Amino acid sequence: MRIKHLLVPAFCALSVAFAPPVQAQDSAAEDPVVARVGGEDILQSEVLALAQTLPPQQQAQIALIFPQLVEQVIDLKLVGDAGRAAGLAEDEEVVQRVKESEDRIISQTYIVREIEAQVTDEKLQAEYDKFVQENPASKEVRARHILVEEEEQAKALITELDGGADFAALAGEHSTGPSGAQGGDLGYFGEGQMVPEFSEAAFAMEVGQHSATPVRTQFGWHIIKVEDSRLAEQPSFEEMEENLRSELSRGVYLEMIAKLRENADIEIVTPEAAEPAEGDEAPAGEGTSQ
């Protein structure tokens, strides 16, 4: 069956040491027995742990492939029992690899629990409040513009606007910029989001005002009209929570490592450089007297 064929690599990858469930179940009802091998229970959580090693598209079909996963865990138990019967539990290589796995799991669990203990809801809220205080809402303006190639044409259009012409209509008719089809509407933007000359002119204008003189940028000559201004919305706590948690977690980890290193007796042994083989010439400037 094709599904079982796809599961073979996952079985092989786990054949050295089977990872226990990532999360312990609260009760037998939540983690039922799905099979028995020689009287030893195989729990649902063991099968789900195997499923986590599969590609996402297969994990999405867990209900379909669950019976095949149970068979894979049964095979793994049988192979493990055979290995123990052959004395591999005391094999030097196995013992070393088990120790490496144990060290890795213990260190990962320690890190996770330290972060969980220190990255609290209260600290996350405090970090968010600090961010809001240090990054007050900034001003945004909504503007339209008409972009033309020649200064004289821009001046002529300003004369029309001074006489009461409709800005959006002129933008649609004359602007060479991509916003011309929308009456020159650029939407809301903050300082620094446009080229400096344009931004400086727009933020110096009052709402409802249009340029008294053309504004030159690398794109040509602009006539600007500011239609509205507002304070930009600050990101909500929910929008920032993931980044805040990541930053706090990184800080906890770095502080933990620094303290452990401070109190540890660490010696880094660098292998000596290999001596040149007999007959090899030393690099120029080395090992020779001047």
Side-chain angles (χ1 to χ4, degrees), residues 3 10 16 27-28 33 40-41 69 119 134 136 146 156 177 211 217 220 236 248 251 256 266:
I3 292 177
V16 174
S27 67
V33 174
E40 181 181 354
D41 292 344
L69 290 172
V119 181
E134 293 179 352
I146 303 171
S211 305
T217 72
S236 67
L248 285 177
M256 177 186 68
I266 300 173

Side-chain angles (χ1 to χ4, degrees), residues 24-39:
Q25 302 292 327
D26 293 335
S27 67
E30 295 177 356
D31 194 11
V33 174
V34 296
R36 289 188 178 88
V37 177

Side-chain angles (χ1 to χ4, degrees), residues 145 147-150 176-178 194-198 215-222:
H145 82 137
L147 175 63
V148 294
E149 295 180 0
E150 302 295 334
T176 61
M194 299 293 183
V195 292
E197 303 90 343
F198 190 99
V215 177
R216 186 176 187 180
T217 72
Q218 66 199 70
F219 303 106
W221 294 89
H222 304 260

Side-chain angles (χ1 to χ4, degrees), residues 14 18-22 43-54:
L14 292 177
F18 181 70
V22 175
L43 303 179
Q44 176 179 280
S45 58
E46 295 178 77
V47 181
L48 296 179
L50 177 60
Q52 291 177 359
T53 68
L54 300 175

